[in-house]
Amino acid sequence: MVWSLHITKHQFFSTKMVYSFKVISSTSLFLIMISCVNIATSQNVCPETVCSHNEPVIRYPFRIRNRQSKSCGYPGFEISCGSSNETILELPSGKFVVQAIDYDRQEIRINDQENCLADRILSLNLSGSPFHGLNQQFFMLFNCSPFDYSEYGLNPIACLSGYTYTVFATSSSRFGFFLQNGNSSCSFIRLVYVPVNWPLYQQILSTDFSEDLRLTWEKPRCGKCESGGGRCAALKTNSSEVVCPDVPHHGNVLPTLYLIFD
């Protein structure tokens, strides 16, 4: 439920306005106004920040651990800065480098610090975190003895391959059947469920999983606020209820506040 409150400075101090509210009591209205002041103050205390130049901008629901207070972010959205000042997100299966954050769409792109995302995918675990894959697709992994894979236009996973074997991943059931049954040099390893960059309907002949993983989150719901030019803030600590001051504002009109409840 989204509740919009738009008032002028004159109305803010008008007793007539208080009596015009049929549903909201004068006490409730006063508490809302006090909350608005507190929220505006908290936004000044929690400004946008970065781990270093050219790194993703961090703001609510994310916060940088040990640099910003817990009230600046939402549980599960803690960010840390690495030894090279890279932006790090820690998931149940380990730490990942944050490549970008799209606050409008509520998406985050992550990759592996050691440049072998395929290896991390084999043990990827998002359970217990607020994130889930945006586009998830099954891939079959195969271990193949040396053969002329360029003939098939395959893209091997170099960081999982060795001198005597090559690892491939495909989402094409037809090509997977060929590798498993029509090519005696290949053996099936396992099936993995991957949050990929591509649309679900697109069949991938082979990939080395070097592209970023795209994750999204449901709560807190700040996408509408961000796309409208506002900046989300917590209504109260550790709550998915958020408020959205509509900025910029002009003249003697106070910011519109969107109170968003799940």
Side-chain angles (χ1 to χ4, degrees):
M1 177 177 67
V2 179
W3 179 18
S4 174
L5 178 62
H6 188 73
I7 58 176
T8 66
K9 290 181 179 178
H10 175 72
Q11 290 173 323
F12 181 85
F13 295 103
S14 172
T15 55
K16 293 181 180 180
M17 181 198 68
V18 176
Y19 291 109
S20 69
F21 279 88
K22 302 295 183 180
V23 180
I24 307 174
S25 69
S26 59
T27 302
S28 298
L29 181 61
F30 176 75
L31 292 175
I32 290 173
M33 297 307 173
I34 294 300
S35 297
C36 295
V37 173
N38 290 336
I39 290 163
T41 302
S42 67
Q43 286 191 320
N44 292 328
V45 174
C46 303
E48 294 182 346
T49 187
V50 295
C51 283
S52 65
H53 183 60
N54 291 331
E55 286 292 305
V57 171
I58 304 301
R59 61 173 178 266
Y60 188 87
F62 295 91
R63 75 174 181 92
I64 296 183
R65 186 186 297 119
N66 300 326
R67 186 182 297 183
Q68 296 174 296
S69 67
K70 290 185 177 180
S71 61
C72 292
Y74 187 68
F77 287 78
E78 288 79 16
I79 293 293
S80 60
C81 300
S83 58
S84 300
N85 288 322
E86 68 274 29
T87 307
I88 303 294
L89 174 69
E90 187 164 1
L91 296 173
S93 53
K95 297 180 180 180
F96 292 81
V97 177
V98 178
Q99 304 288 4
I101 302 175
D102 189 326
Y103 291 91
D104 291 7
R105 297 183 178 181
Q106 300 196 177
E107 296 178 14
I108 183 170
R109 287 178 24 221
I110 62 174
N111 215 306
D112 178 46
Q113 287 180 281
E114 305 299 327
N115 297 316
C116 189
L117 188 60
D119 186 42
R120 305 297 303 281
I121 285 172
L122 294 176
S123 59
L124 183 65
N125 179 15
L126 300 176
S127 61
S129 80
F131 306 100
H132 60 85
L134 189 63
N135 297 318
Q136 303 211 97
Q137 194 167 353
F138 280 109
F139 281 83
M140 294 167 283
L141 268 67
F142 291 90
N143 184 324
C144 300
S145 300
F147 74 100
D148 187 12
Y149 54 80
S150 60
E151 177 184 347
Y152 303 98
L154 298 180
N155 186 18
I157 303 176
C159 65
L160 294 183
S161 301
Y163 290 109
T164 60
Y165 62 93
T166 307
V167 176
F168 300 97
T170 179
S171 67
S172 169
S173 56
R174 177 179 296 182
F175 191 69
F177 180 83
F178 165 76
L179 289 178
Q180 190 169 8
N181 298 282
N183 190 334
S184 59
S185 67
C186 295
S187 60
F188 176 74
I189 301 175
R190 61 181 292 188
L191 193 67
V192 292
Y193 201 37
V194 186
V196 294
N197 257 318
W198 316 289
L200 293 176
Y201 59 81
Q202 185 177 351
Q203 294 289 296
I204 307 301
L205 183 64
S206 72
T207 178
D208 61 359
F209 294 125
S210 59
E211 294 189 26
D212 301 335
L213 298 183
R214 292 175 64 192
L215 307 180
T216 185
W217 66 90
E218 300 296 332
K219 295 181 181 180
R221 295 184 295 135
C222 290
K224 184 175 181 180
C225 169
E226 292 280 343
S227 61
R231 292 293 179 264
C232 242
L235 191 59
K236 52 187 177 181
T237 303
N238 293 341
S239 171
S240 61
E241 298 174 351
V242 295
V243 66
C244 177
D246 188 17
V247 290
H249 60 283
H250 304 282
N252 68 341
V253 180
L254 294 176
T256 301
L257 290 175
Y258 295 97
L259 305 181
I260 305 172
F261 302 93
D262 292 315

